[in-house]
Amino acid sequence: MAIWLLRRLGQILPTLLILSVLIFGLQQLMPGDPALILAGEERGDPQVLAQIRAELRLDRPLPEQYLAWAGRVLVGDFGYSWRIREPVGALILEKLPVTLQLASMAFVIALLIGVPMGVLSAVKRDRPLDWAANAVALFGISTPNFWLGIMLILLFSVELGWLPPSGYVPLFEDPLQSLATTIMPAFVLGNSIAGVLMRHTRAAMLTALSQDYVRTARAKGLAERVVVAKHALRNALIPVVTLGTIEFGRLLAGAVLTEQIFTIPGFGKLIVDAVFNRDYPVVQGVVLATALIFVLLSLVADLLYMAINPRLRTA
C-alpha cells in the first residue's frame, strides 16, 4: 500500500510539469496584447508599451519566460497580478475557500438526491417510482443553470423574500447568513449533477443486481434491504465514485456562470476577470491550481476504491 501510494505521488510531478507547459503555451494563443490593456490611456505611446513589456518580461523569448515562471512556482511563488498588483497565491487562497464551500454544498445536495434516487429507481425498475426518478433526473440534466438560477431568485428573493438574491458572507463570519447566500447557487449546481449521479447509480445498480453474488445472497434468505445495501450498492459505488470525483473537480473549476449570476466572489469570477484583462499570472496560477486539484481528486478516488472494495488492496 505504501509503495503504491508513493508511486502515485511520484506520478503527480511529471503530470503537473506537462500541464504547466500546456497552460503556459496555450495562453500565448489568447488574442490581444496585455501591455496595451495595462497601458490604459497611454497605449498609443510606444515608449510606455516598451517599458511595460520589459518590466513584465514580455520582450523575452517564450522558453525564458516559461522557465522563469516555472522556477518561481516550484518555490511557491505564483507571481503578482498585473492588474491589481497582489500576489497570485494570496488571491487563490482568498477565493478558493469561497468556491470550495459552494462546491461542497452542491456536491452534498447532489449526493443526497442522486444516489438514493438511483438506488430506488433500480430496485423499482419499470414502476412508477422509476419513471418519476428518471423524470427528475432528466429535468436536472436538461435545465440550464442560468435559467434555474434566475427562476430561484424570482421565487425565493423577489416574490417570497426568504433569501438574498446575491452576494456572499464568509462561513465563519455569520454561518446562517452564509448559508442563506449560498443555498440557492449550491442547489443550482447540485441539481444538474444529481441527475447525472442518478443515471449512473441506476445503471450500476441494475448491473450489480443481476450478478450471481446477489442471487446467492437472496438464496441464503437475506433481507432485500441487506442484499441491496451491503452487496449490490457497495459494488455499484465504484463507477459512482469515479464520476463523483470528476464532478466535484468540475464544480471547483467550472462554477463560473453560477457565481456570476449570484455575485459570488469565487474562483470562477477570478478567472473570468483575469482572462478579460489578460492578467497572465492569475490565469496561470488558477489553472495550475485547478489541475492540481483534479490530480489530487484522482488520488482520492483510488483510495476510495480500496476502501469500498478490499480486493483492490492486493490487486
Side-chain angles (χ1 to χ4, degrees), residues 292-315:
L292 177 61
I293 289 172
F294 269 100
V295 171
L296 294 178
L297 285 174
S298 176
L299 178 61
V300 170
D302 289 340
L303 294 174
L304 288 176
Y305 297 157
M306 296 183 181
I308 294 171
N309 191 344
R311 292 176 298 178
L312 295 176
R313 300 172 193 170
T314 56

Side-chain angles (χ1 to χ4, degrees), residues 1-309:
M1 181 67 179
I3 295 175
W4 173 86
L5 186 59
L6 289 175
R7 188 184 303 119
R8 291 287 283 116
L9 290 174
Q11 295 172 355
I12 292 178
L13 290 179
T15 301
L16 291 178
L17 176 61
I18 295 173
L19 287 173
S20 69
V21 174
L22 291 175
I23 292 167
F24 188 88
L26 292 176
Q27 183 177 257
Q28 306 305 317
L29 300 177
M30 293 172 59
D33 185 352
L36 289 174
I37 297 176
L38 295 172
E41 296 180 355
E42 300 180 355
R43 65 181 61 188
D45 189 339
Q47 186 175 357
V48 172
L49 294 176
Q51 182 180 352
I52 293 175
R53 292 192 181 100
E55 180 184 348
L56 301 179
R57 305 173 69 94
L58 295 174
D59 57 344
R60 306 293 179 87
L62 287 181
E64 183 178 340
Q65 293 183 42
Y66 168 76
L67 291 175
W69 171 70
R72 294 194 303 269
V73 169
L74 287 176
V75 296
D77 180 8
F78 289 90
Y80 281 78
S81 166
W82 292 347
R83 185 171 62 92
I84 59 178
R85 299 295 180 179
E86 290 188 17
V88 175
L91 290 174
I92 293 174
L93 292 177
E94 177 187 349
K95 304 298 183 180
L96 182 58
V98 179
T99 300
L100 185 61
Q101 177 190 348
L102 184 61
S104 300
M105 292 175 61
F107 194 65
V108 169
I109 292 173
L111 287 177
L112 293 177
I113 297 175
V115 174
M117 280 177 43
V119 173
L120 291 174
S121 179
V123 173
K124 304 295 183 181
R125 183 180 183 180
D126 295 330
R127 298 181 187 179
L129 185 59
D130 181 23
W131 303 334
N134 276 283
V136 173
L138 184 61
F139 172 81
I141 296 172
S142 306
T143 306
N145 284 357
F146 71 88
W147 180 86
L148 182 59
I150 293 172
M151 293 300 104
L152 290 179
I153 290 174
L154 288 175
L155 176 60
F156 292 103
S157 301
V158 178
E159 295 294 333
L160 300 177
W162 291 354
L163 297 171
S166 62
Y168 173 76
V169 176
L171 180 62
F172 297 105
E173 180 179 314
D174 188 340
L176 290 179
Q177 189 63 21
S178 178
L179 179 64
T181 56
T182 53
I183 188 62
M184 283 198 296
F187 181 80
V188 169
L189 292 170
N191 174 67
S192 58
I193 296 177
V196 177
L197 283 177
M198 180 271 166
R199 298 293 297 173
H200 279 73
T201 304
R202 181 182 184 274
M205 281 294 297
L206 288 175
T207 301
L209 289 171
S210 64
Q211 298 300 311
D212 291 338
Y213 60 84
V214 172
R215 286 193 288 268
T216 301
R218 285 171 174 162
K220 290 179 179 180
L222 295 178
E224 184 66 16
R225 55 184 173 82
V226 176
V227 173
V228 171
K230 186 176 180 181
H231 295 274
L233 179 59
R234 188 168 186 177
N235 287 277
L237 280 179
I238 291 180
V240 177
V241 166
T242 303
L243 176 68
T245 53
I246 294 173
E247 291 296 336
F248 186 72
R250 286 180 55 193
L251 282 174
L252 292 174
V256 177
L257 188 57
T258 304
E259 288 184 358
Q260 292 286 343
I261 292 173
F262 291 94
T263 321
I264 303 292
F267 238 28
K269 193 173 188 309
L270 178 63
I271 187 67
V272 168
D273 292 343
V275 169
F276 278 121
N277 290 285
R278 304 297 186 273
D279 200 342
Y280 286 178
V282 176
V283 175
Q284 292 166 347
V286 171
V287 176
L288 188 61
T290 304
L292 177 61
I293 289 172
F294 269 100
V295 171
L296 294 178
L297 285 174
S298 176
L299 178 61
V300 170
D302 289 340
L303 294 174
L304 288 176
Y305 297 157
M306 296 183 181
I308 294 171
N309 191 344

